[in-house]
Amino acid sequence: MAKVNVKVFGVYRVDSGVKEYVAEATTVNDVFTSLNYLSKVPDSNIHFNNASIFVNNKRCSSGKMRLKDGDEVWVMSPAGGG
Amino acid sequence: MTQYGAYMGKVMMIDLRTHAVSEYPWTDEDRHRTIGGKVMAGDILLRHIRPGMTAYDEDNWIVITTGPLTGTGAPSTSRFNISTISPLTGLITSSNSGGDFGLMLKRCGYDGCIITGKSETPVHIEISEDEVLFHDASELWGLEVTPTQEALPKGHGANLVIGPAGENKVLYAAVMSGERAHGRGGVGAVFGDKKIKAITAKGFKHPTIVDEEGFRKLTRKWSKTLRNHALTGRQVPQLGTAGLVTPMQARNILATKNFNRGQFDGFDKVSGETLAETRLLRNSGCTTCVIQCTRRCEVDGKDVKGPELEILGLMGPNLLNDDLDAIIRWNYLIDEMGMDTISTAGTIAFAMELNEKGMWDSGLEFGKIDNIDQMIHDIAHREGKGDILAEGSKRMADMFGGEEFAINVKGMELSAYEPRATFGQGLGYAVSNRGGCHLNAGYLVFAEGLGLDVNGLRPLGKGQLAIMFQNLMEAISAAGSCLFTSYAVFPSFVFDRPNHPITKVVNWIMPYLAPVLFVLNYIYPLLQMQLFLIPHSSAIHKASGMKCTLGDFLVAGDRGWNTERAANIILGQKPGADTLPKRLTTEPQEPGTGLKVPLKPMLRAFYANRGWINGVPTRLKLKTLGIKVPKGTEKLFPGGIF
């Protein structure tokens, strides 16, 4: 397991009340388990398919992507409206 | 008069020289061709303008137009438009807002209002169902926006007013309708030049709805779709447009330090999330809107309209500023002065860089914000160095140099999207008829990361996609609808599930649809159908009884785009005007994508699909769309196909 820094943005952050935390995760998919646990939304179900994910400033296209210590994972809700 | 519902059937013409009020001839055939809004205004202006005409000519018309859906109760349809010759660009500008004036103009029995001539003294024009009155507004002259509105007679209905910036002809002065701004292109300066301090309207008429039951059924379903959509039902109501700061940061799109780069370390301090968590009083919206994107914030104990994305980005990262309270205050202050937030911010950023490079001592520095309040005031009143900033970045570059980093197109400052990470948006900026506008551009950044996830770093297909988006948005605007309703044109699924295989296929395949779109962009008239994902055309048909298929709707959008371009050519737009500041096409974005905007190939594809030669519509193209240019100007348009 790697220790990664998770930052949450968009509606997911405002709804869940989770802004930033350190997670233990092997893959990107693992991040969502802890995020849903920390969320103040009952039955929170944020997962890879319904979020835009960036790892170390790059768009992540697979939930199976392996993480390493010190990685920064951004979890963002769908965006739009300018 | 009209045989159609939804329309009021009259367009009023006011001559400020004589105070004569007449009816402008506008036929049902015109209604069908243009739908309304900015397409209608463009058509009216094209009939009137002549080569050499400028913004401050006595005969420059201000054309205020509504759409057929304005005032019908369809969701998010309180939009109305003001078009005129822009003092900032010298070309046609159209500026749109969701203020109540458009609704009230229709309730007075008018679909539009044309104003010509100049008043000798400040004037308040009062429009009602029966008459138009002209009041001396000398006592209002000099007042800021809210004091002006408060000084108008009680129960005046809806208003359009200017602040000090309009009076002093700041080239990017706005016209305010309530709290809503017609910001872009300096329509407020044209009001100021004509000495129009305020226009009020109050009436009680309502447009008839031809197919009442069908229309209500459709609008109920449409409202439900908007309320349940990932963007219009959740993201935008909760975070407003401010919610884009973070995704723009993630994708190197957030204009930073006068478009030097696309990311800012302090972005989260000015993000939509922080705004929602720490400053938001509540959200609100325009009349009839189900989306409710407006942020309400507090300034000096007052509950005021909060900042949108553009000012958060352009007065935040683009000035290297992370003070959210300052941005909220500036947003209010710029509105009170009656100025365009985008051009104000863009001009300040340019003045900062001129100063940094030692080219002009503007007194403004990146990251230093203690003199911005004063500068906003000075711009609006044309005092001190503010008098120079009131001219906008293009004219400042003419005075001091720095054209390559004067971030404007055709004289109008760019919105907050850094195009070296969103090539399609870069193309859109370059070709936009009114100048550096993200919306007139076609808003391809929405497809390139801020909604869909089409690769924004490739030029493939962007010319064709831009045309499709531009025409659709032009038509939606003509209908009187908010452009945010266009988000629901795409099924919620592709936003709710950005990593789902189906969404990935959609994003991947869109650029490769270029040949299909190329053909489609030419055969709109064949689309004799309705599509529920684009309910606007069906709503127009049911409300008005006028034939309005999806094809008719898109043709009107195409016609609007070409009409404005034809008008611009007559007003003197030169070949090569469709371009970007050199910083964006010659300097790689570092740090960031390491790329510059590959404008030329996209421009070639765009022109070919538009049916233009070097940015000029051919006579055949104009004829195909039924666009007639004034006699004697035909020679400005090349013959042939393209």
Side-chain angles (χ1 to χ4, degrees):
Chain A
M1 288 264 192
K3 275 196 173 176
V4 299
N5 187 26
V6 181
K7 292 186 174 179
V8 186
F9 294 104
V11 172
Y12 292 157
R13 172 165 133 186
V14 176
D15 285 350
S16 70
V18 181
K19 189 172 177 181
E20 184 173 0
Y21 66 99
V22 175
E24 291 200 338
T26 303
T27 67
V28 168
N29 278 331
D30 297 336
V31 166
F32 297 103
T33 310
S34 48
L35 174 56
N36 288 319
Y37 176 76
L38 290 169
S39 173
K40 66 182 184 191
V41 178
D43 303 322
S44 172
N45 187 29
I46 304 169
H47 52 87
F48 183 76
N49 271 348
N50 64 16
S52 289
I53 309 298
F54 286 77
V55 177
N56 300 331
N57 214 13
K58 289 206 169 79
R59 182 85 164 90
C60 166
S61 56
S62 168
K64 292 175 185 169
M65 178 182 172
R66 296 188 74 81
L67 298 171
K68 56 184 187 309
D69 279 343
D71 279 351
E72 185 165 290
V73 181
W74 286 21
V75 179
M76 302 166 68
S77 60
Chain B
M1 295 305 292
T2 176
Q3 61 169 315
Y4 298 134
Y7 296 98
M8 305 310 289
K10 284 198 289 187
V11 177
M12 170 199 294
M13 187 147 188
I14 297 171
D15 190 331
L16 289 172
R17 289 163 293 209
T18 60
H19 290 188
V21 179
S22 57
E23 190 175 331
Y24 181 81
W26 192 249
T27 67
D28 278 348
E29 199 264 331
D30 294 326
R31 289 180 185 91
H32 182 254
R33 281 189 318 109
T34 66
I35 296 178
K38 75 192 292 278
V39 182
M40 170 184 176
D43 194 277
I44 290 170
L45 283 172
L46 181 63
R47 298 177 191 190
H48 172 66
I49 58 162
R50 297 291 179 271
M53 192 178 272
T54 67
Y56 298 146
D57 282 2
E58 194 162 9
D59 281 335
N60 178 26
W61 286 1
I62 294 169
V63 185
I64 304 169
T65 47
T66 62
L69 297 183
T70 312
T72 61
S76 307
T77 51
S78 64
R79 309 295 296 193
F80 71 106
N81 174 79
I82 305 177
S83 291
T84 189
I85 299 175
S86 162
L88 188 66
T89 66
L91 308 172
I92 297 290
T93 190
S94 57
S95 198
N96 186 292
S97 97
D100 284 342
F101 184 85
L103 290 168
M104 210 46 103
L105 186 64
K106 281 189 85 164
R107 287 189 186 170
C108 289
Y110 300 98
D111 294 314
C113 172
I114 301 167
I115 301 171
T116 185
K118 287 187 187 184
S119 176
E120 297 273 324
T121 54
V123 64
H124 159 208
I125 304 169
E126 181 187 354
I127 300 171
S128 65
E129 292 177 32
D130 307 317
E131 59 186 352
V132 176
L133 300 174
F134 298 84
H135 306 289
D136 176 51
S138 300
E139 289 190 3
L140 303 180
W141 204 253
L143 294 181
E144 294 174 5
V145 167
T146 302
T148 303
Q149 291 166 335
E150 288 172 350
L152 291 167
K154 296 279 178 256
H156 65 259
N159 62 66
L160 281 180
V161 306
I162 59 168
E167 296 170 9
N168 294 307
K169 295 196 263 187
V170 174
L171 296 191
Y172 41 89
V175 172
M176 306 296 291
S177 176
E179 288 185 318
R180 300 277 156 184
H182 294 259
R184 306 246 63 194
V187 290
V190 181
F191 268 56
D193 182 61
K194 294 185 183 299
K195 292 277 194 297
I196 304 168
K197 181 64 177 174
I199 308 176
T200 54
K202 186 176 184 179
F204 300 94
K205 292 181 177 175
H206 285 276
T208 55
I209 304 297
V210 171
D211 176 4
E212 188 90 38
E213 192 185 337
F215 182 72
R216 295 299 161 212
K217 198 172 161 190
L218 181 142
T219 54
R220 271 198 299 273
K221 194 173 173 190
W222 190 2
S223 297
K224 194 175 167 190
T225 301
L226 290 169
R227 285 198 180 96
N228 291 333
H229 195 272
L231 302 187
T232 54
R234 287 197 297 281
Q235 165 86 10
V236 181
Q238 279 192 260
L239 297 173
T241 58
L244 289 181
V245 169
T246 303
M248 287 164 69
Q249 166 81 6
R251 292 171 170 84
N252 288 289
I253 297 172
L254 186 62
T256 300
K257 201 187 177 195
N258 195 30
F259 286 74
N260 263 288
R261 50 185 187 270
Q263 287 188 326
F264 178 55
D265 288 343
F267 77 95
D268 199 17
K269 292 182 180 172
V270 297
S271 69
E273 294 89 332
T274 299
L275 182 69
E277 289 160 348
T278 63
R279 309 295 200 287
L280 186 67
L281 299 176
R282 62 196 159 84
N283 65 327
S284 67
C286 306
T287 307
T288 77
C289 185
V290 299
I291 301 172
Q292 303 284 299
C293 69
T294 305
R295 314 288 84 194
R296 304 298 308 185
C297 296
E298 187 180 313
V299 173
D300 297 335
K302 286 182 285 229
D303 178 342
V304 302
K305 180 164 68 71
E308 298 183 31
L309 165 74
E310 301 303 338
I311 190 165
L312 283 168
L314 293 171
M315 294 292 262
N318 209 39
L319 305 187
L320 297 187
N321 165 48
D322 62 8
D323 187 331
L324 182 57
D325 288 320
I327 299 174
I328 293 170
R329 189 176 68 248
W330 294 336
N331 185 58
Y332 177 66
L333 189 55
I334 292 170
D335 277 356
E336 280 299 294
M337 295 296 143
M339 292 196 291
D340 176 32
T341 52
I342 296 175
S343 282
T344 305
T347 304
I348 288 173
F350 181 59
M352 285 179 170
E353 188 155 352
L354 283 175
N355 193 22
E356 184 178 80
K357 289 185 157 56
M359 298 167 76
W360 179 50
D361 176 14
S362 63
L364 298 167
E365 295 173 30
F366 288 112
K368 181 172 171 286
I369 63 167
D370 57 355
N371 56 355
I372 301 288
D373 292 70
Q374 185 63 46
M375 182 53 81
I376 291 168
H377 175 276
D378 289 351
I379 293 170
H381 292 85
R382 284 191 173 270
E383 290 172 1
K385 288 171 181 169
D387 188 31
I388 293 172
L389 271 77
E391 294 290 299
S393 60
K394 182 173 186 291
R395 286 166 180 79
M396 285 170 63
D398 292 341
M399 291 180 230
F400 307 114
E403 187 190 5
E404 63 279 9
F405 59 88
I407 307 298
N408 68 72
V409 170
K410 304 182 180 85
M412 183 187 279
E413 288 70 20
L414 266 58
S415 321
Y417 310 93
E418 215 284 34
R420 287 175 292 185
T422 167
F423 291 171
Q425 186 65 33
L427 168 68
Y429 276 141
V431 299
S432 163
N433 281 325
R434 73 173 179 180
C437 166
H438 57 298
L439 298 172
N440 198 214
Y443 201 53
L444 268 199
V445 69
F446 173 71
E448 295 179 324
L450 304 184
L452 302 173
D453 209 0
V454 174
N455 188 344
L457 305 180
R458 293 180 67 194
L460 181 67
K462 299 301 164 60
Q464 295 81 2
L465 278 169
I467 292 169
M468 175 62 82
F469 275 52
Q470 286 166 352
N471 292 345
L472 178 62
M473 290 169 73
E474 190 89 351
I476 287 174
S477 186
S481 292
C482 175
L483 291 177
F484 286 0
T485 61
S486 65
Y487 298 139
V489 164
F490 295 92
S492 191
F493 179 87
V494 298
F495 308 106
D496 271 332
R497 301 281 183 273
N499 292 313
H500 192 281
I502 292 175
T503 309
K504 286 182 178 178
V505 169
V506 169
N507 289 324
W508 174 81
I509 206 167
M510 277 180 79
Y512 294 100
L513 294 176
V516 177
L517 289 176
F518 186 95
V519 175
L520 192 63
N521 287 334
Y522 273 108
I523 59 162
Y524 296 150
L526 300 182
L527 303 175
Q528 295 299 309
M529 62 176 89
Q530 300 289 0
L531 194 63
F532 183 69
L533 291 170
I534 306 176
H536 310 73
S537 54
S538 183
I540 292 168
H541 170 66
K542 288 181 191 306
S544 68
M546 180 175 79
K547 178 176 167 289
C548 187
T549 62
L550 177 62
D552 296 326
F553 191 63
L554 292 172
V555 168
D558 196 10
R559 189 173 285 128
W561 241 84
N562 281 276
T563 298
E564 284 192 355
R565 176 53 61 114
N568 284 352
I569 298 300
I570 292 167
L571 290 171
Q573 180 179 320
K574 299 278 183 289
D578 290 335
T579 190
L580 289 169
K582 279 190 182 148
R583 164 162 293 162
L584 306 174
T585 55
T586 62
E587 297 174 21
Q589 188 196 56
E590 297 287 0
T593 61
L595 299 170
K596 44 201 176 184
V597 182
L599 189 57
K600 279 187 182 171
M602 293 192 292
L603 209 49
R604 271 198 299 273
F606 180 87
Y607 285 163
N609 203 180
R610 272 271 175 224
W612 294 358
I613 295 174
N614 287 331
V616 183
T618 61
R619 289 199 288 274
L620 179 63
K621 176 73 181 182
L622 295 176
K623 191 177 175 188
T624 305
L625 289 169
I627 297 170
K628 289 180 189 156
V629 295
K631 273 191 179 166
T633 63
E634 299 91 343
K635 62 183 181 301
L636 296 171
F637 301 90
I641 303 174
F642 54 85

